[in-house]
């Protein structure tokens, strides 16, 4: 049976291969680690003993490694091929991989996104490329990946983050045989160097006050400091947690969510100019100008849409906090778009899985995607020029004195 025929029978493989091309670096590391495990496993089988193992069945000893490159669709992999003292070790992995490279990478991708389905991965790998990895090997690879992700998730936060952005999204997870929605809580930070970072990613049963409070408390235990402005949507549980854990932080309600919420206070056939003019308030140079135009907007629309104008007048102040910041920072801090874009990327990847077999597999994929984004951000130029905020604070202190 040809590979083309098999792909036609298994659309999941086709989707996974599309995912592979979009996530090259992560799969490159996973593939390198997997193939290295295969080489080590073959040597253990030849010698009849693992490294350092005392065994009466031992038939030889290891004698170091030599390097060999393997060119793949995700880049060139440098592998360490083991040697034995008698020179008996020979691997068919390179030949076998070249014959079935496309199938093997597809199976590894399936292993990654499914997280824990080792039995299924073993069967898929054997079907596609005529060679299977032991379920124990796949489990060890997942454990190694989990350990690396845990180190990232639990790392100490050694510098202050004046800007924080919080949000959550939901994923379908199977719990005790029942499909449930799990909240994925995410925190982003912008440090004084102006660089973006993923600070925390956790799963919770739902967005409750307790879950957000615990989430922020754990950030504090890891050393979070700063938090001068925190952006989020108008979730009451986030606001409650911020009041308790970060009471000194100024809250910026996302203006994009605010404008969406405004639709709930308008009739279906409302004048498009009404919301468009409201949206323009967020492009003003300073708070004084925005408040002047807000007064004009309220006067113009209060007779036609009194429900909307009353609601806006009561709540719009929560969305204008960003006017305290340097003007060059306004477009980045007046909404949660930075985190929304990350969530969209996560959604684009997780919908391949649709329903995760358990919470661990869900967190593994989401956290790995966030690590990839985090590392890409650190390699980019500064996101914001934070000297503007420093100068603004100095000027405010001088004026106060």
């Amino acid at each position: 049976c040809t590979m083309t025929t098999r792909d036609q029978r298994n659309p999941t493989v086709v989707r996974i291969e599309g995912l592979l091309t979009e996530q090259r670096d992560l799969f490159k590391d996973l593939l390198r680690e997997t193939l290295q495990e295969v080489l080590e496993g073959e040597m253990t089988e030849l010698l009849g003993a693992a490294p350092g193992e005392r065994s009466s069945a031992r038939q030889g000893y290891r004698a170091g490694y030599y390097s060999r490159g393997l060119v793949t669709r995700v880049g060139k992999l440098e592998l360490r091929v083991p040697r034995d003292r008698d020179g008996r070790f020979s691997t068919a992995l390179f030949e076998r991989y070249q014959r079935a490279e496309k199938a093997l990478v597809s199976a590894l991708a399936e292993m990654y996104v499914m997280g824990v389905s080792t039995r299924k991965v073993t069967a898929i790998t054997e079907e596609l490329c005529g060679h299977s990895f032991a379920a124990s090997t796949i489990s060890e690879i997942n454990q190694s990946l989990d350990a690396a992700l845990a180190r990232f998730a639990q790392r100490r936060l050694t510098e202050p983050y004046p800007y924080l952005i919080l949000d959550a999204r939901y994923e379908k997870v199977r719990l005790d045989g029942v499909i449930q929605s799990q909240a994925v809580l995410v925190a982003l930070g912008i440090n004084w160097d102006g660089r973006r970072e993923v600070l925390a990613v956790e799963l919770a049963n739902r967005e409750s006050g307790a879950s957000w409070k615990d989430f922020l408390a754990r950030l504090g235990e890891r050393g979070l400091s700063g938090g001068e402005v925190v952006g989020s949507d108008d979730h009451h549980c986030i606001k409650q947690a911020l009041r308790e854990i970060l009471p000194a932080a100024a809250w910026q309600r996302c203006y994009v969510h605010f404008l969406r919420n405004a639709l709930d206070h308008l009739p279906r056939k409302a004048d498009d100019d009404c919301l468009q003019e409201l949206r323009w308030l967020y492009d003003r140079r300073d708070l004084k100008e925005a408040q002047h135009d807000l007064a004009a907007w309220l006067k113009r629309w209060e007779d036609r849409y009194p429900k909307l104008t009353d609601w806006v007048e009561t709540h719009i102040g929560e969305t204008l906090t960003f006017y305290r910041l340097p003007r060059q920072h306004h477009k980045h801090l007046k909404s949660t778009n930075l985190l929304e874009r990350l969530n969209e990327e996560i959604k684009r990847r997780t919908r391949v899985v649709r329903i995760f077999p358990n919470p661990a597999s869900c967190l593994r994929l989401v956290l790995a995607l966030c690590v990839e984004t985090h590392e890409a951000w650190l390699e980019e130029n500064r996101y914001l020029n934070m000297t503007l905020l420093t100068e603004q604070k100095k000027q405010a202190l001088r004026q106060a004195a």
Side-chain angles (χ1 to χ4, degrees):
C1 180
T2 65
M3 179 60 64
T4 301
T5 302
R6 285 177 180 170
D7 282 356
Q8 290 172 346
R9 289 193 299 124
N10 189 352
T12 299
V13 173
V14 178
R15 293 198 304 270
I16 297 298
E17 288 176 351
L19 181 66
L20 168 67
T21 61
E22 300 162 358
Q23 202 166 313
R24 185 172 301 272
D25 290 342
L26 198 56
F27 278 109
K28 184 177 179 180
D29 292 340
L30 178 62
L31 182 58
R32 181 190 300 108
E33 184 176 348
T34 301
L35 296 181
Q36 193 67 52
E37 290 279 354
V38 172
L39 289 170
E40 297 293 346
E42 288 183 339
M43 176 61 85
T44 296
E45 183 178 357
L46 173 71
L47 300 181
E53 179 185 1
R54 296 180 180 273
S55 172
S56 59
R58 179 182 288 279
Q59 300 180 22
Y61 293 88
R62 288 169 170 76
Y65 298 85
Y66 68 92
S67 297
R68 176 166 176 180
L70 179 64
V71 177
T72 75
R73 291 188 301 149
V74 293
K76 186 176 181 180
L77 307 179
E78 292 295 335
L79 299 174
R80 299 169 68 243
V81 182
R83 289 190 176 106
D84 67 295
R85 292 180 184 177
D86 299 328
R88 294 185 296 121
F89 179 69
S90 176
T91 178
L93 181 143
F94 293 92
E95 178 184 358
R96 188 166 60 234
Y97 181 84
Q98 297 291 1
R99 287 199 308 264
E101 185 258 358
K102 182 178 180 181
L104 181 56
V105 173
S106 297
L108 292 172
E110 174 108 353
M111 177 188 70
Y112 175 67
V113 298
M114 294 307 295
V116 296
S117 185
T118 54
R119 183 180 303 174
K120 180 179 179 182
V121 171
T122 300
I124 290 174
T125 314
E126 187 169 8
E127 175 192 355
L128 291 178
C129 59
H131 174 71
S132 63
F133 301 125
S136 59
T137 299
I138 297 171
S139 296
E140 288 173 4
I141 292 170
N142 276 345
Q143 290 171 9
S144 175
L145 180 59
D146 287 343
L149 295 177
R151 286 194 295 273
F152 173 84
Q154 297 166 11
R155 74 193 189 280
R156 290 292 299 172
L157 302 176
T158 57
E159 56 184 322
Y161 298 87
Y163 297 153
L164 300 177
I165 303 175
L166 308 175
D167 199 8
R169 56 169 288 101
Y170 283 83
E171 297 290 350
K172 296 292 185 182
V173 175
R174 194 178 300 276
L175 284 168
D176 299 325
V178 179
I179 298 173
Q180 300 182 16
S181 291
Q182 289 274 289
V184 182
L185 312 182
V186 183
L188 305 185
I190 299 176
N191 61 23
W192 279 106
D193 193 38
R195 298 186 184 280
R196 301 168 287 178
E197 295 187 23
V198 178
L199 301 184
V201 181
E202 294 183 11
L203 288 188
N205 290 332
R206 57 192 178 92
E207 278 191 273
S208 65
S211 63
W212 275 114
K213 181 180 176 180
D214 291 345
F215 179 76
L216 292 175
R218 280 188 286 270
L219 274 169
E221 292 168 359
R222 289 169 49 208
L224 177 69
S225 62
E228 298 186 18
V229 177
V230 182
S232 74
D233 61 15
D234 185 41
H235 200 290
H236 69 280
C237 292
I238 295 180
K239 293 190 293 182
Q240 175 186 339
L242 287 174
R243 285 193 295 268
E244 294 187 35
I245 306 299
L246 295 173
W251 178 52
Q252 166 62 40
R253 178 177 179 176
C254 174
Y255 89 100
V256 176
H257 286 86
F258 179 79
L259 292 174
R260 291 174 189 162
N261 298 151
L263 294 172
D264 296 335
H265 304 274
L266 277 172
R268 289 186 178 181
K269 295 183 179 179
D271 193 320
D272 292 339
D273 289 344
C274 179
L275 283 185
Q276 182 60 51
E277 291 175 10
L278 183 61
R279 184 178 292 107
W280 288 338
L281 296 177
Y282 297 98
D283 296 326
R284 298 300 178 251
R285 289 174 296 181
D286 54 42
L287 181 59
K288 184 177 180 180
E289 185 176 318
Q291 289 175 333
H292 176 271
D293 290 348
L294 172 61
W297 181 87
L298 291 170
K299 184 175 181 180
R300 177 176 178 182
W301 297 104
E302 62 184 356
D303 291 337
R304 191 181 303 182
Y305 305 124
K307 182 181 176 182
L308 173 67
T309 54
D310 288 346
W311 177 81
V312 168
E313 190 172 16
T314 301
H315 298 287
I316 194 170
E318 300 166 341
T319 71
L320 303 178
T321 305
F322 72 94
Y323 277 118
R324 304 181 189 180
L325 307 176
R327 189 178 177 189
Q328 293 85 342
H329 294 188
H330 289 181
K331 67 178 181 180
H332 301 287
L333 273 301
K334 64 185 177 183
S335 73
T336 58
N337 282 352
L338 175 62
L339 186 43
E340 290 289 338
R341 287 192 292 271
L342 175 59
N343 278 335
E344 283 300 313
E345 185 65 14
I346 292 172
K347 179 181 178 181
R348 189 165 65 89
R349 312 290 183 88
T350 58
R351 67 186 175 196
V352 177
V353 184
R354 291 182 56 247
I355 300 172
F356 286 90
N358 59 41
S361 63
C362 178
L363 183 60
R364 181 181 298 124
L365 176 55
V366 174
L367 188 53
L369 293 171
C370 288
V371 170
E372 184 182 63
T373 299
H374 172 89
E375 293 175 346
W377 283 347
L378 293 181
E379 293 174 358
E380 294 175 355
N381 294 328
R382 291 185 304 175
Y383 183 65
L384 292 177
N385 180 0
M386 298 301 287
T387 58
L388 298 171
L389 182 59
T390 303
E391 291 301 319
Q392 185 184 78
K393 294 178 69 175
K394 289 181 179 178
Q395 182 178 359
L397 288 173
R398 287 193 295 267
Q399 292 175 349

